């Protein structure tokens, strides 16, 4: 679902956008972003609201405000991905088989002037808890996120090294 309103303003057009995504297939969305089939599944819910003003979309993004939230319920993640995320040394000698239940996935984004701050970013399963955050620059189309496992949630063989996710979209 999405809605938009546009009004004439002194410095161009004022846009108000609201969007909601309910019970989307997380696996299909992950494949859109290049993830391998079967790595993650579950129902994704997302909500976002943005207000911006400008003569062009680029100018409006530089003068914008918005919030968004993403959550996944009834999800599963491939066990080998969990081991990779925690940098579990056992993953070097065997491949994790099956999947782990996701009990919580939550990301909140607060956007000001085209820069989205992601905080908190949480992923929890019975086997691992991860926290993270970062930025999404909607003006330059750049993503900079850092995710790390909580040491008390991983095993003895886990290095618990942070995972940096950076690049353009």
């Amino acid at each position: 679902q999405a809605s938009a309103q546009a009004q004439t303003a002194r410095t161009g057009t004022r846009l108000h956008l609201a969007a909601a995504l309910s019970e989307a297939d997380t696996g299909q969305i992950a494949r859109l972003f290049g993830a391998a089939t079967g790595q993650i599944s579950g129902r994704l819910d997302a909500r976002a609201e943005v207000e911006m003003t400008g003569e062009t979309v680029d100018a409006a993004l530089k003068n914008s405000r918005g919030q968004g939230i993403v959550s996944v319920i009834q999800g599963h993640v491939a066990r080998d991905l969990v081991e990779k995320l925690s940098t579990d040394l056992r993953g070097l000698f065997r491949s994790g088989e099956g999947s782990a239940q996701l009990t919580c996935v939550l990301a909140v984004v607060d956007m000001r002037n085209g820069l989205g701050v992601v905080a908190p970013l949480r992923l929890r399963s019975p086997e691992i808890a991860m926290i993270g955050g970062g930025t999404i620059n909607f003006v330059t189309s750049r993503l900079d996120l850092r995710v790390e496992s909580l040491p008390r949630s991983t095993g003895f063989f886990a290095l618990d090294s942070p995972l940096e996710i950076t690049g353009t979209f």
Side-chain angles (χ1 to χ4, degrees):
Q1 296 177 342
S3 66
Q5 295 176 333
Q7 296 176 328
T8 303
R10 270 186 289 145
T11 57
T13 302
R14 177 178 304 212
L15 292 174
H16 179 88
L17 308 166
L21 185 62
S22 297
E23 298 185 15
D25 183 330
T26 305
Q28 287 184 7
I29 292 171
R31 281 189 296 281
L32 287 174
F33 291 101
T37 302
Q39 291 289 298
I40 190 166
S41 67
R43 292 188 351 227
L44 181 133
D45 291 317
R47 304 272 187 272
E49 199 161 327
V50 178
E51 191 168 299
M52 59 181 79
T53 304
E55 292 184 12
T56 65
V57 173
D58 286 341
L61 278 172
K62 294 175 184 173
N63 185 20
S64 60
R65 291 182 42 187
Q67 294 79 34
I69 187 166
V70 177
S71 68
V72 176
I73 57 172
Q74 297 178 351
H76 288 84
V77 63
R79 191 169 309 283
D80 67 328
L81 184 59
V82 170
E83 289 179 356
K84 288 175 186 170
L85 289 174
S86 65
T87 321
D88 192 320
L89 293 175
R90 292 174 295 184
L92 297 174
F93 304 104
R94 65 179 173 90
S95 67
E97 294 180 9
S99 64
Q101 180 183 6
L102 289 174
T103 54
C104 174
V105 176
L106 176 70
V108 176
V109 179
D110 186 39
M111 184 179 75
R112 298 269 189 260
N113 303 322
L115 183 65
V117 176
V118 180
L121 173 59
R122 304 266 191 238
L123 182 146
R124 182 176 291 278
S125 81
E127 299 171 10
I128 190 172
M130 302 193 74
I131 59 169
T135 59
I136 303 171
N137 191 321
F138 293 99
V139 176
T140 63
S141 300
R142 180 150 183 90
L143 175 72
D144 291 298
L145 296 175
R146 180 183 175 113
V147 181
E148 59 187 303
S149 55
L150 294 174
R152 68 179 187 275
S153 73
T154 58
F156 176 76
F157 294 104
L159 298 177
D160 295 314
S161 299
L163 173 66
E164 301 280 341
I165 305 166
T166 62
T168 57
F169 55 92

